[in-house]
Amino acid sequence: MLLQLLTALAALAGAACSLLAEGSGAGAVSGILPFTAGGFIYLGTVSVIPEMLRDAGPGQALLQLLALLAGVAMMLLIAHYE
């Protein structure tokens, strides 16, 4: 439960930092966006992929991996066009 509290406090701190950095311009966004995208990629590769490969057959694992890569591609598109 203590770890859940720490996670929730970190989420609140992240929201506060993003609200404070809103008027900072492109410099703040260019530093925060790669950090956030890296966090999502890290979670996907460290916790999701082993879980997918353990419980699914080869066809299902391939579909799930393609979906994960599509999500990364969407993040890249959003970062590029934003």
Side-chain angles (χ1 to χ4, degrees):
M1 238 168 124
L2 182 61
L3 291 176
Q4 277 296 91
L5 177 64
L6 289 175
T7 304
L9 289 175
L12 278 173
C17 287
S18 68
L19 289 174
L20 291 174
E22 183 177 350
S24 297
V29 173
S30 66
I32 294 172
L33 187 61
F35 181 74
T36 305
F40 281 114
I41 293 170
Y42 173 77
L43 286 174
T45 55
V46 171
S47 63
V48 175
I49 289 178
E51 185 72 27
M52 289 185 323
L53 295 176
R54 183 176 29 165
D55 294 336
Q60 183 68 22
L62 179 64
L63 286 175
Q64 291 173 347
L65 184 61
L66 289 175
L68 181 70
L69 292 175
V72 171
M74 282 186 228
M75 285 191 289
L76 287 172
L77 283 172
I78 290 170
H80 180 61
Y81 288 113
E82 185 174 312

